[in-house]
């Protein structure tokens, strides 16, 4: 504790705007969660304040009176003991007075007014101990109390802390922007499911039957046209890569089905990118198989063209784009790259009638390419279009979503784009029989030489997940709490305690840059602990729901994704009006239904607080004049290598040599690949009931086909496996 803040005057000026109001600037700093509530001034309130301090991992609290006549009184440091704090308050005299309780680093505080108004501000862990786990419900109850009571103090507090819109006492919700095209389409499907269930069920059954039919076509096509045997391996590789990234991206708000649709868009980009490459080659007067075509034209056009779907997403779903998490941009960019990679490799292998010998389809992030010399020397390593584009999308997500952490994050996208360009450039140079300029080769080596690119992507993914969960935690004012107590409370307490103890030791008079770096290092344990605890809580909810069957599990997955999207929208809005989807009432209803399914309905899906009963009674220029020099290092590597223009040209030549039957099979295979990407991959909405299935098996055949399209088999298997979990899984969640 700094000596100049040991007077009540200095402590109050840091935290409060008046004797009974917290400072709005202090509240906005650090994304604090703020909740006013009405509670009697009794032992239960003091006990809750002590518990809140214990949740922050501190051993003492700072207490002072906030009125002007006590400005020069000393700030009292009290231990986390209820009786000690009560004795201090009683020592001030028999008349109630306003007082402030604060932690040492001023990151959390409780302002207790002389009447029953109390305001808690700080991290969500601190506020939950005072108002309960359901912070939005506590804020809603206070707003209702302020409207019903009509007192000036309560009404002003409700407006000041955002419980009601300022100046709109009788308005239930402020005006928000209208829906975008994507939201209108989603609402249309939701209304169709409610109003025409039979029609939707029939369409789902038709979709499932069509999905299995096209899968049979893909299996049978190689028997008629041998070159088509590459379709299934390349498709599986794209599915596996996106599944791995989406599973690791625990904070994502986009569905796996949306990622596969984005992959279809990336695959369709092969044609316009090839057209752009052809136009540039004609403009330059260069040959497609030369160094200029492989390197100067193909590399920048493809690496920039794969990012176009992100712009299209922002245009089609501009409201949805403002609710994206940092990992969402990574996943969307990686999906675009995976689709482009799928189309390029599929057309090349089909046209050549053989697999690409340089392709290294391992288990982790498949799609990489390794070029080796006859003596075994590795000449080039390329992690794949999905990895390089995903890396650029990841750092874009960090810069866009994390803009509150400083503009220096915008230095990362040019570096990531340089990594992608140099990795791709090195591969195409080797395949074209050229070598990088020595200076360019040095820069490429410093950026990992292509070997470190997948690990850079995973590092960026981990940073994005940590940033997302930290921002989600700051949106606890409007985000309904998950059922049960947050797990790992001891880990969070130790992290908060260490952070507070180190933060008070950082001098205030050092250079701003050094202070910012020191505070970032101090906050790192809290960020990691919050991330791990949030992930563990969501996994515990999913595991508990899995024991209730596939229906509960799928509904839980969908709700968790919606909840994260709403929290990210709230955090990124920074107080501005934004559009919720789904709306707050639907989200609150969803968490209550989920709590009832998981057996926590006695608390309404939340943990009761001690005072709850009284609440209402996100590019450097790499190409230069001399990128290449010397003599070729890989003589005839272009036989199996291709970029977009060459892949499309070879595919057209191969297609022209087919007879009518082969052309039909090729067209059916193309339709099958597109079908498997764009439909039948979402989390099922409807599941057959065993009792109804036994009574009328024919009537439930459509339901089975509707929820068992080829891309949905995994959901069914996980749901069935979850029913075999032991009963002790229910102990993961406690009230």
């Amino acid at each position: 504790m700094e000596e100049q803040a040991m007077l009540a005057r200095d402590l109050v000026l840091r935290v409060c705007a008046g004797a009974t109001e917290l400072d709005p600037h202090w509240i906005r700093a650090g994304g604090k969660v703020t909740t006013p509530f009405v509670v009697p001034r009794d032992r239960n309130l003091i006990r809750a304040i002590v518990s809140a301090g214990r949740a922050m991992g501190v051993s003492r609290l700072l207490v002072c009176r906030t009125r002007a006549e006590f400005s020069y009184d000393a700030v009292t440091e009290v231990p986390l003991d209820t009786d000690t704090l009560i004795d201090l308050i009683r020592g001030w005299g028999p008349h109630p007075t306003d007082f402030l309780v604060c932690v040492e680093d001023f990151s959390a505080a409780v302002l207790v007014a002389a009447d029953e108004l109390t305001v808690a501000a700080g991290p969500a862990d601190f506020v939950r101990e005072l108002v309960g786990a359901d912070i939005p419900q506590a804020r809603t109850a206070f707003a209702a109390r302020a409207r019903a009571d009509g007192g000036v103090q309560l009404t002003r507090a409700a407006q000041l802390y955002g419980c009601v819109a300022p100046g709109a006492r009788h308005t239930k919700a402020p005006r928000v922007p209208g829906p975008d095209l994507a939201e209108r389409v989603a609402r249309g499907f939701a209304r169709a499911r409610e109003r025409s269930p039979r029609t939707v069920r029939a369409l789902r059954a038709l979709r499932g039957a069509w999905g299995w039919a096209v899968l049979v076509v893909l299996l049978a096509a190689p028997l008629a046209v041998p070159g088509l045997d590459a379709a299934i391996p390349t498709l599986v590789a794209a599915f596996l890569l996106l599944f791995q990234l989406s599973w690791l991206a625990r904070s994502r708000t986009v569905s796996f089905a949306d990622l596969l649709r984005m992959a279809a868009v990336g695959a369709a980009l092969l044609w316009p990118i090839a057209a752009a490459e052809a136009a540039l080659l004609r403009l330059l007067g260069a040959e497609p198989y030369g160094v200029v075509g492989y390197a100067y034209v193909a590399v920048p056009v493809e690496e920039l063209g794969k990012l176009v779907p992100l712009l299209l997403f922002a245009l089609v779903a501009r409201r949805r784009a403002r609710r994206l998490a940092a990992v969402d941009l990574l996943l969307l960019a990686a999906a675009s790259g995976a689709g482009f990679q799928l189309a390029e490799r599929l057309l090349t292998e089909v046209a050549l009638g053989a697999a690409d010998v340089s392709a290294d389809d391992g288990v982790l992030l498949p799609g990489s390419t390794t070029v080796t010399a006859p003596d075994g020397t590795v000449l080039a390593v390329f992690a794949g279009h999905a990895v390089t584009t995903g890396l650029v999308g990841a750092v874009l997500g960090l810069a866009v979503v994390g803009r509150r952490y400083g503009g220096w994050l915008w230095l990362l996208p040019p570096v990531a784009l340089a990594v992608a360009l140099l990795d791709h450039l090195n591969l195409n140079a080797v395949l074209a029989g050229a070598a990088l300029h020595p200076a360019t080769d040095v820069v490429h080596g410093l950026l990992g030489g292509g070997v470190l690119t997948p690990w850079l992507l995973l590092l960026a993914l981990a940073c994005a997940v940590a940033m997302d969960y930290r921002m989600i935690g700051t949106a606890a004012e409007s985000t309904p709490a998950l059922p049960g107590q947050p797990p790992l409370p001891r880990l969070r307490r130790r992290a908060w305690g260490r952070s507070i103890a180190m933060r008070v030791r950082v001098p205030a008079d050092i250079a701003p840059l050094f202070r910012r770096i020191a505070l970032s290092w101090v906050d790192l344990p809290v960020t990691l602990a919050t991330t791990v605890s949030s992930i563990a809580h969501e996994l515990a909810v999913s595991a508990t729901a899995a024991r209730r069957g596939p229906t509960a599990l799928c509904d839980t997955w969908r709700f968790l994704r919606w909840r994260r999207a709403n929290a990210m929208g709230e955090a990124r809005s920074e107080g501005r009006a934004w559009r919720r989807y789904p709306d707050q009432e639907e989200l609150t209803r969803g968490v209550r239904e989920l709590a009832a399914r998981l057996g926590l309905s006695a608390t309404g899906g939340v943990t009761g607080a001690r005072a709850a009963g009284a609440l209402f009674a996100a590019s450097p220029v790499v190409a230069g004049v001399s990128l290449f020099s010397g003599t070729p290092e890989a003589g005839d590597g272009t036989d199996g290598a291709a970029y977009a223009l060459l892949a499309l040209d070879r595919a057209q030549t191969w297609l022209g040599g087919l007879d009518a039957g082969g052309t039909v099979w090729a067209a059916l295979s193309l339709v099958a690949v597109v079908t498997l990407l764009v439909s039948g991959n979402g989390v099922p909405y409807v599941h057959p009931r065993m009792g109804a299935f036994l009574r009328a098996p024919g009537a439930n055949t459509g339901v089975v086909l509707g929820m068992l399209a080829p891309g949905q088999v995994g959901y069914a298997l996980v749901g069935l496996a979850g029913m075999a979990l032991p009963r002790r899984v229910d102990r993961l969640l406690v009230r």
Side-chain angles (χ1 to χ4, degrees), residues 116 210 216 487 674 701:
E116 294 184 343
W210 177 252
V216 172
V674 174
T701 303

Side-chain angles (χ1 to χ4, degrees), residues 202-292:
L203 292 176
R204 286 199 189 108
L206 180 61
R207 181 196 63 188
W210 177 252
W212 287 108
V214 298
L215 185 60
V216 172
V217 168
L218 280 184
L219 293 174
L223 301 178
V225 183
L228 295 176
D229 57 355
I232 290 183
T234 54
L235 192 61
V236 170
F239 269 75
L240 180 59
L241 184 144
L242 293 179
F243 172 76
Q244 291 174 349
L245 289 178
S246 62
W247 191 86
L248 293 174
R250 305 306 307 174
S251 59
R252 65 182 174 92
T253 68
V254 293
S255 65
F256 185 68
D258 290 337
L259 296 181
L260 292 177
R261 295 188 189 102
M262 180 63 77
V265 175
L269 281 176
L270 183 75
W271 280 264
I273 288 178
E277 291 172 349
L280 284 176
L281 287 174
R282 286 194 301 269
L283 182 64
L284 297 174
E287 293 293 330
Y289 285 89
V291 174
V292 174

Side-chain angles (χ1 to χ4, degrees), residues 127-316:
V127 178
R128 287 194 195 102
E129 295 294 330
L130 290 156
V131 303
D134 198 343
I135 297 176
Q137 183 62 29
R139 292 170 57 84
T140 302
F142 181 80
R145 174 67 179 271
R147 293 192 187 98
D149 183 77
V152 176
Q153 186 177 19
L154 295 185
T155 302
R156 175 172 172 76
Q159 296 178 354
L160 179 64
Y161 303 116
C163 298
V164 297
R169 177 178 173 184
H170 302 290
T171 302
K172 294 183 178 180
R175 297 183 62 182
V176 296
D180 54 29
L181 177 60
E183 290 178 348
R184 292 191 184 98
V185 173
R187 284 296 187 189
F189 282 115
R191 286 193 295 268
R193 286 192 294 268
E194 296 174 357
R195 300 176 182 177
S196 305
R198 294 184 178 179
T199 303
V200 173
R201 186 163 56 245
L203 292 176
R204 286 199 189 108
L206 180 61
R207 181 196 63 188
W210 177 252
W212 287 108
V214 298
L215 185 60
V216 172
V217 168
L218 280 184
L219 293 174
L223 301 178
V225 183
L228 295 176
D229 57 355
I232 290 183
T234 54
L235 192 61
V236 170
F239 269 75
L240 180 59
L241 184 144
L242 293 179
F243 172 76
Q244 291 174 349
L245 289 178
S246 62
W247 191 86
L248 293 174
R250 305 306 307 174
S251 59
R252 65 182 174 92
T253 68
V254 293
S255 65
F256 185 68
D258 290 337
L259 296 181
L260 292 177
R261 295 188 189 102
M262 180 63 77
V265 175
L269 281 176
L270 183 75
W271 280 264
I273 288 178
E277 291 172 349
L280 284 176
L281 287 174
R282 286 194 301 269
L283 182 64
L284 297 174
E287 293 293 330
Y289 285 89
V291 174
V292 174
Y294 263 91
Y296 286 105
V297 174
V299 172
V301 171
E302 291 180 2
E303 291 301 327
L304 295 177
K306 290 181 295 181
L307 297 174
V308 170
L310 293 181
L311 299 177
L312 296 178
F313 185 90
L315 293 176
V316 175

Side-chain angles (χ1 to χ4, degrees), residues 429-443:
V430 172
L431 295 177
L436 292 179
H437 188 277
T440 308
D441 194 25
V442 170
V443 176

